[in-house]
């Protein structure tokens, strides 16, 4: 018996596969989901996510998200994912890429805060005229 895994990002369906085992890290710690596991929902932390398919283990670095298992379906909604071939290189790639994304997010939030401040000032100036 297999589960249908679907990894979804804001832009597209990143990956789909029939899998026999899923290992992830949620806020409550590491956990494993097998095909007959009860329906389940978990917030996933920024971590390495793995699953078994066709006798081999696949690894992804994920930037948090929500995992929902219902019936034979497992849907994993995330912001970013990196597929890796081996654990060590994936950990290094994860540190570099997610750190860059975090810095870009920080710059975006700063720019938005500045824009909101400018809009508020313009609205105030319009009200004073």
């Amino acid at each position: 018996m297999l589960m249908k895994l679907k990894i979804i990002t804001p832009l597209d369906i990143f990956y789909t596969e029939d899998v026999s085992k899923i290992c992830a890290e949620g806020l409550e710690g590491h956990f494993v989901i097998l095909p007959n596991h009860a329906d389940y929902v978990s917030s996933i932390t920024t971590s390495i996510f793995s699953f078994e398919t066709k006798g081999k283990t696949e690894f992804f670095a994920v930037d948090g998200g929500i995992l929902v298992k219902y019936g034979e379906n497992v849907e994993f909604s995330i912001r970013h994912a990196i597929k890796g071939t081996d654990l060590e290189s994936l950990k290094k790639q994860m540190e570099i890429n997610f750190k860059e994304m975090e810095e870009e997010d920080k710059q975006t939030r700063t720019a938005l805060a500045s824009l909101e401040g400018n809009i508020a000032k313009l609205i105030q100036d319009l009200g004073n005229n």
Side-chain angles (χ1 to χ4, degrees):
M1 181 176 222
L2 296 173
M3 299 174 286
K4 297 178 187 311
L5 173 65
K6 186 185 296 183
I7 300 174
I8 305 163
T9 67
L11 300 177
D12 63 1
I13 296 175
F14 184 76
Y15 192 84
T16 60
E17 187 68 58
D18 289 338
V19 302
S20 59
K21 179 180 178 181
I22 296 171
C23 300
E25 183 177 349
L27 298 175
E28 65 280 358
H30 287 88
F31 62 91
V32 174
I33 296 178
L34 299 171
N36 289 324
H37 195 284
D39 290 352
Y40 186 73
V41 176
S42 180
S43 292
I44 305 299
T45 62
T46 299
S47 59
I48 303 291
F49 169 80
S50 68
F51 57 87
E52 289 182 13
T53 181
K54 300 173 187 153
K56 63 180 182 173
T57 302
E58 301 277 345
F59 298 98
F60 285 87
V62 295
D63 188 17
I66 301 291
L67 182 141
V68 179
K69 189 228 184 257
Y70 58 100
E72 66 179 23
N73 300 295
V74 179
E75 294 186 0
F76 191 10
S77 178
I78 56 174
R79 290 189 327 154
H80 307 286
I82 304 167
K83 187 175 190 304
T85 53
D86 70 275
L87 214 43
E88 285 306 312
S89 64
L90 185 59
K91 284 181 183 178
K92 290 176 186 172
Q93 191 177 1
M94 179 176 141
E95 289 173 8
I96 293 167
N97 288 11
F98 289 167
K99 191 172 190 174
E100 287 174 3
M101 285 184 247
E102 186 177 301
E103 184 58 36
E104 289 172 3
D105 287 349
K106 186 177 178 181
Q107 291 173 355
T108 301
R109 285 190 302 272
T110 301
L112 284 173
S114 175
L115 183 60
E116 289 170 353
N118 289 339
I119 290 172
K121 186 176 182 324
L122 285 171
I123 291 171
Q124 183 180 22
D125 290 348
L126 285 173
N128 292 334
N129 289 332

